[in-house]
Amino acid sequence: RILSMDDIITKAGRPTLLKMIIDTLKDDYADGWDMANEEESIDFPTCDPSLAAEGVAFDYGAYEIGAYALGMPQALIPYDKIKPYLTPEVKDLLGMK
């Protein structure tokens, strides 16, 4: 089945996780994007996150958080950093304890 945000991320962990996503975007897109005035307007992407080999991927659409020239920004949060915010169901699915 397709996993939704509610299936993957606990509600309690979302504020901290959003800050991690913003920090990742700032690091990954620092060369072409000054986010200084945009941080407060960034929210979770409209599409659900996905489980990748390295971590949980948060994919933004074109224009969702920046100019079209940025493409479709992605924040990939490694499992070791996101583990406290994962639901028990996803931890079981991934074989985490």
Side-chain angles (χ1 to χ4, degrees):
R1 73 184 172 96
I2 297 174
L3 298 175
S4 69
M5 174 76 94
D6 290 337
D7 295 325
I8 299 172
I9 307 298
T10 63
K11 291 194 187 296
R14 289 185 190 178
T16 304
L17 179 57
L18 185 57
K19 172 132 178 45
M20 290 171 66
I21 290 170
I22 292 168
D23 289 345
T24 299
L25 290 169
K26 285 188 339 190
D27 289 344
D28 292 351
Y29 295 90
D31 292 340
W33 184 17
D34 179 11
M35 293 177 55
N37 297 325
E38 298 180 39
E39 279 186 51
E40 293 177 12
S41 65
I42 295 176
D43 201 356
F44 289 101
T46 55
C47 64
D48 289 320
S50 58
L51 304 178
E54 305 85 18
V56 179
F58 296 87
D59 297 301
Y60 290 88
Y63 294 114
E64 191 170 356
I65 59 170
Y68 181 80
L70 288 173
M72 298 174 67
Q74 180 188 70
L76 181 67
I77 309 298
Y79 286 119
D80 61 332
K81 291 183 179 181
I82 201 170
K83 183 178 177 181
Y85 314 110
L86 297 175
T87 63
E89 175 188 13
V90 169
K91 287 180 185 178
D92 287 343
L93 179 69
L94 297 170
M96 296 179 171
K97 295 188 184 215

